[in-house]
Amino acid sequence: MSSINEVLEYFPYNLKNKILENNLEQLEEIRLRTNRNILLKIGQEEIKIDYVINTQEILEILQRICDNSIYTYQSQICNGYITIKGGHRVGISGNVVVKGGQVINISHIYSLNFRIARQVIDCSYSILPYILNTKENTIYNTIILSPPGRGKTTLLRDSVRKISEGIEEYNFKGITVGVVDERGEIAAMYKGIPQNDLGERTDILDNVSKDIGMKMLIRSMNPKVIVADEIGTEQDIEAINYAITSGVKGLFTAHGDSLENITLNPILSKLYKLDIIERIILIEETRSTKLIFSK
């Protein structure tokens, strides 16, 4: 319940109590929409709270999230979300203001979506035998592949923690890891402090594009392993090639449900053809993992 209380501290007292009337053990989301009942996503179930929230209440909650200084959080708001203490993410929708092809504001906020963060410690044991190169005390260049919603970021996060800390069972000594956390989903930084445990030898760049972040980390932090979530642009591929040909190992995730998805994807196929990826692991529908490529 401690993680849920971190979220509910932003809510008015009467609304907080209404939410607490429910069994929140598997709470995943709290959705607030202007002039609509509040909805809770608990496991596979959706529960409607008998409370119609208005625009003023949504703005007051947003003010609390932003420490009463929405301007300070403007860059996060322009990305469509704010990360709060505990690593929870608050999605924002409303009137998007675009200038010069860039989002410069979201005004007339219509809805907030609180997504409850839960770090799953030791969930990466199923894929570590595929990733680790124990002979050289490093990893194989690896992509974790799955469609959205199967937990690839959760697996990635715990893999980073284990690689950074070291793994006694494999006689693996911890090594320096550089994480590019473009959307704040891996480390969930809050005021400069990662809310998820990524290990003691991990350096994190938050809120920067993957291609820029990878090059920054390689030039400044000397990582042995570089990590990025949901690769998929030309710039990502170029930066990964730069990293790996510089002698840095890579651990990445991407969307897809088969090796064929990668070979047919116009961007990811370029990475595949570079012949630098050594392992591709698929998260199946059952959440089990399967090695689908090895060299």
Side-chain angles (χ1 to χ4, degrees):
M1 283 292 293
S2 60
S3 63
I4 295 165
N5 285 329
E6 287 171 339
V7 169
L8 292 180
E9 71 178 22
Y10 298 103
F11 287 67
Y13 181 77
N14 57 337
L15 177 52
K16 175 180 176 180
N17 285 342
K18 276 187 172 291
I19 293 173
L20 286 171
E21 289 173 2
N22 299 272
N23 182 355
L24 303 178
E25 189 174 336
Q26 296 183 59
L27 180 67
E28 295 179 11
E29 294 180 354
I30 305 173
R31 287 188 176 268
L32 315 179
R33 295 182 175 98
T34 302
N35 299 329
R36 300 285 182 179
N37 288 97
I38 291 165
L39 297 176
L40 308 182
K41 186 175 185 294
I42 301 178
Q44 298 302 310
E45 188 179 2
E46 187 176 75
I47 294 176
K48 183 184 290 187
I49 301 294
D50 184 21
Y51 189 101
V52 176
I53 194 161
N54 60 44
T55 301
Q56 185 58 37
E57 288 172 309
I58 283 182
L59 288 176
E60 287 172 2
I61 291 171
L62 184 61
Q63 284 280 6
R64 291 192 185 108
I65 291 167
C66 296
D67 297 327
N68 294 311
S69 178
I70 288 177
Y71 176 79
T72 305
Y73 287 77
Q74 199 65 38
S75 63
Q76 286 195 55
I77 290 171
C78 290
N79 287 329
Y81 63 85
I82 296 173
T83 301
I84 61 176
K85 186 178 181 181
H88 315 288
R89 172 171 289 192
V90 185
I92 301 167
S93 79
N95 180 51
V96 179
V97 182
V98 179
K99 185 176 181 180
Q102 300 290 321
V103 177
I104 61 170
N105 195 15
I106 299 179
S107 62
H108 303 294
I109 305 299
Y110 169 71
S111 64
L112 301 176
N113 180 27
F114 288 78
R115 295 177 61 187
I116 310 303
R118 289 187 176 89
Q119 185 169 6
V120 184
I121 299 295
D122 290 338
C123 68
S124 63
Y125 270 109
S126 65
I127 64 172
L128 289 176
Y130 305 140
I131 293 175
L132 298 178
N133 178 350
T134 53
K135 275 188 178 180
E136 300 179 22
N137 202 77
T138 187
I139 69 165
Y140 296 106
N141 296 320
T142 301
I143 296 175
I144 301 171
L145 187 70
S146 91
R150 289 190 188 172
K152 62 183 175 299
T153 304
T154 302
L155 271 179
L156 180 70
R157 185 186 299 123
D158 195 62
S159 300
V160 169
R161 185 182 66 84
K162 300 297 283 185
I163 292 164
S164 173
E165 292 284 354
I167 310 161
E168 189 174 346
E169 302 94 304
Y170 291 94
N171 195 29
F172 185 89
K173 296 178 181 177
I175 55 179
T176 303
V177 182
V179 173
V180 184
D181 200 5
E182 183 173 7
R183 293 177 306 280
E185 292 186 330
I186 306 173
M189 301 286 276
Y190 175 73
K191 296 186 177 181
I193 300 172
Q195 302 298 289
N196 293 319
D197 181 5
L198 298 189
E200 64 182 2
R201 297 177 183 86
T202 301
D203 301 303
I204 303 155
L205 281 182
D206 180 54
N207 195 33
V208 64
S209 67
K210 290 182 279 289
D211 57 308
I212 293 173
M214 280 189 260
K215 292 177 181 178
M216 287 177 65
L217 283 168
I218 289 164
R219 292 166 182 163
S220 62
M221 303 307 293
N222 190 29
K224 303 300 181 190
V225 175
I226 202 85
V227 174
D229 196 18
E230 296 185 4
I231 60 171
T233 69
E234 294 270 9
Q235 293 82 1
D236 293 346
I237 304 310
E238 189 273 328
I240 289 168
N241 189 44
Y242 169 81
I244 291 175
T245 56
S246 298
V248 180
K249 291 295 185 177
L251 177 60
F252 313 104
T253 72
H255 287 306
D257 62 7
S258 68
L259 184 59
E260 185 181 24
N261 285 164
I262 286 183
T263 58
L264 294 178
N265 183 298
I267 305 298
L268 293 178
S269 62
K270 293 180 181 180
L271 179 60
Y272 183 72
K273 289 172 184 175
L274 286 170
D275 201 32
I276 54 178
I277 296 300
E278 299 168 289
R279 299 284 190 272
I280 300 176
I281 300 165
L282 174 66
I283 304 176
E284 299 180 294
E285 192 172 355
T286 59
R287 301 290 179 98
S288 58
T289 55
K290 178 181 178 182
L291 184 67
I292 60 172
F293 174 80
S294 176
K295 62 171 283 194

